[in-house]
Amino acid sequence: MSDGIPCMILRGGSSKGAYFLRDDLPRDPDARDSLLRRVMGSPDARQIDGIGGAHPLTSKVAIVSSASDDAADVDYLFLQVGVADDVVSDRQNCGNVLAGVGPFALERGLLTGPEHGECTVRIRMLNTDSIATARFAVLDGAPVYGGATAISGVPGTAAAIHLDFEGLAGGSTGALLPTGNVVDTVEGTACTLIDNGMPVAVLRADSLGVSGDETCAELEQDADLRAALEAIRLKAGELMGLGDVRETTVPKLTLVSPPSAGGHLSTRTFIPHRCHDAIGVLGAVSVATAALLEGSPAHACATAPGGDVVRLEHPTGCFDAVVEVDALADGGVQVSRAGIIRTARKLMDGTVFPRVDTER
């Protein structure tokens, strides 16, 4: 690896990631993960010897290849690289990094788009074997990154990327509601355990003695709160069929409370041990879905959406998720539609040189 590896860094939504072609990385998962830790500079809280940004939101990797069949145009594997630990996890999707996959695939020649107008890319999300369709503007055959769309948590504006999802429900756990219940009592706390793109335990902030409008720093400094959340997460992981989740990044936890800034629901999300400065894309879709389920903690806190858009308030703004839920004859529910709008921007394209010394 002394000659380096081709790598593109893109901001996808409110995250930032290193994007690679699958053929440029080792096929063996252990060798690949070892390489990516050294690329990102992990394990080290500062990631000083790599390109990671010392935060889970900036220590992400997308691996992209031509699709394995005609159901999609490209395949996308997301990997969350630990910052201060040596964990590399494929247990979740990332909808923010997903926003950059279509433009990256076009830039790398994995597909041919129109010279001008709108490019449509069907993306298989390998983590959960589900499909997302991305639509974004192109000019002279290349992605357009500049535009007028603003998203919370990102300064300035950029070109809109429309993402529509198929088959999200139960991608990680096998069911939208893995326990079959809208509400479960977990460690004495009422929670909705839901998986509509991201396994999430959704619970009222006031059930744990906080208001839900605290800053991330204030919540992270509350040792009792963090201990209670981790106890809930470990039990929720078992109940959701995820097994022992001590070393994984799912399920996430979202504290909900009544809105105060014009949205439908206020959120504070742990991912799982740091408080998210915003909210993850697929986590937002899961939480928005929970807000539509009567009897859930989120539904009890939410103001009723006027249509199919659920606006979630978070520490740095708002996130709009388009979700439609239909009641089934057997009393269950089915998600008929899920979609969001993100932006992405190419930050760097070049060669990355991983550390080559023996890992600590």
Side-chain angles (χ1 to χ4, degrees):
M1 296 297 173
S2 59
D3 293 332
I5 307 161
C7 174
M8 185 180 293
I9 298 178
L10 292 98
R11 175 192 58 76
S14 55
S15 293
K16 184 164 58 178
Y19 291 66
F20 297 92
L21 291 176
R22 183 186 63 187
D23 291 344
D24 290 332
L25 296 174
R27 288 298 181 95
D28 176 73
D30 290 338
R32 177 201 67 202
D33 293 353
S34 172
L35 173 66
L36 293 175
R37 284 192 292 268
R38 289 179 282 126
V39 164
M40 302 304 282
S42 301
D44 172 40
R46 297 177 300 160
Q47 291 183 318
I48 196 67
D49 202 28
I51 62 174
H55 192 282
L57 298 183
T58 56
S59 188
K60 299 186 173 188
V61 169
I63 301 176
V64 185
S65 62
S66 296
S68 55
D69 59 41
D70 293 338
D73 299 309
V74 296
D75 289 347
Y76 153 57
L77 178 69
F78 170 72
L79 296 174
Q80 178 71 59
V81 181
V83 177
D85 58 48
D86 61 359
V87 174
V88 179
S89 175
D90 65 357
R91 296 284 298 274
Q92 65 179 77
N93 280 320
C94 179
N96 275 307
V97 170
L98 169 68
V101 170
F104 172 77
L106 186 61
E107 294 255 20
R108 285 290 190 261
L110 294 181
L111 50 88
T112 302
E115 280 297 301
H116 308 288
E118 184 177 78
C119 184
T120 300
V121 184
R122 286 178 60 80
I123 303 165
R124 177 184 289 104
M125 299 183 289
L126 294 174
N127 303 73
T128 53
D129 193 27
S130 53
I131 300 289
T133 300
R135 294 181 289 113
F136 55 92
V138 295
L139 181 64
D140 296 328
V144 174
Y145 294 106
T149 299
I151 60 174
S152 295
V154 178
T157 61
I161 297 175
H162 297 260
L163 296 170
D164 293 299
F165 300 103
E166 303 170 24
L168 279 182
S172 296
T173 64
L176 175 68
L177 298 171
T179 67
N181 304 318
V182 172
V183 181
D184 287 283
T185 300
V186 184
E187 295 293 305
T189 301
C191 301
T192 296
L193 307 181
I194 191 166
D195 175 14
N196 194 25
M198 180 70 69
V200 184
V202 184
L203 59 155
R204 291 182 62 129
D206 57 13
S207 68
L208 291 181
V210 294
S211 65
D213 61 1
E214 293 87 353
T215 66
C216 285
E218 289 170 335
L219 293 173
E220 289 183 358
Q221 290 167 6
D222 188 334
D224 291 340
L225 172 67
R226 293 181 63 179
L229 287 172
E230 183 64 359
I232 291 170
R233 193 179 80 86
L234 295 180
K235 185 61 177 179
E238 295 178 6
L239 294 172
M240 298 176 83
L242 296 169
D244 185 348
V245 298
R246 284 176 293 183
E247 301 298 325
T248 73
T249 56
V250 290
K252 314 297 188 189
L253 301 110
T254 296
L255 304 178
V256 295
S257 57
S260 60
H264 300 119
L265 185 70
S266 179
T267 67
R268 295 293 186 271
T269 299
F270 283 77
I271 55 173
H273 303 123
R274 296 287 300 271
C275 183
H276 201 312
D277 291 333
I279 187 170
V281 167
L282 296 173
V285 173
S286 287
V287 174
T289 305
L292 298 177
L293 303 181
E294 290 190 22
S296 73
H299 188 272
C301 292
T303 60
D308 56 7
V309 175
V310 181
R311 172 160 287 189
L312 301 176
E313 300 173 5
H314 57 70
T316 53
C318 293
F319 186 106
D320 289 346
V322 178
V323 181
E324 294 181 9
V325 175
D326 298 327
L328 300 177
D330 62 4
V333 293
Q334 173 180 286
V335 178
S336 57
R337 183 186 178 200
I340 50 95
I341 296 176
R342 295 275 85 187
T343 66
R345 192 171 77 82
K346 179 170 66 173
L347 306 180
M348 186 283 297
D349 190 6
T351 303
V352 65
F353 296 88
R355 189 179 68 240
V356 295
D357 58 321
T358 302
E359 289 191 87
R360 295 184 294 274

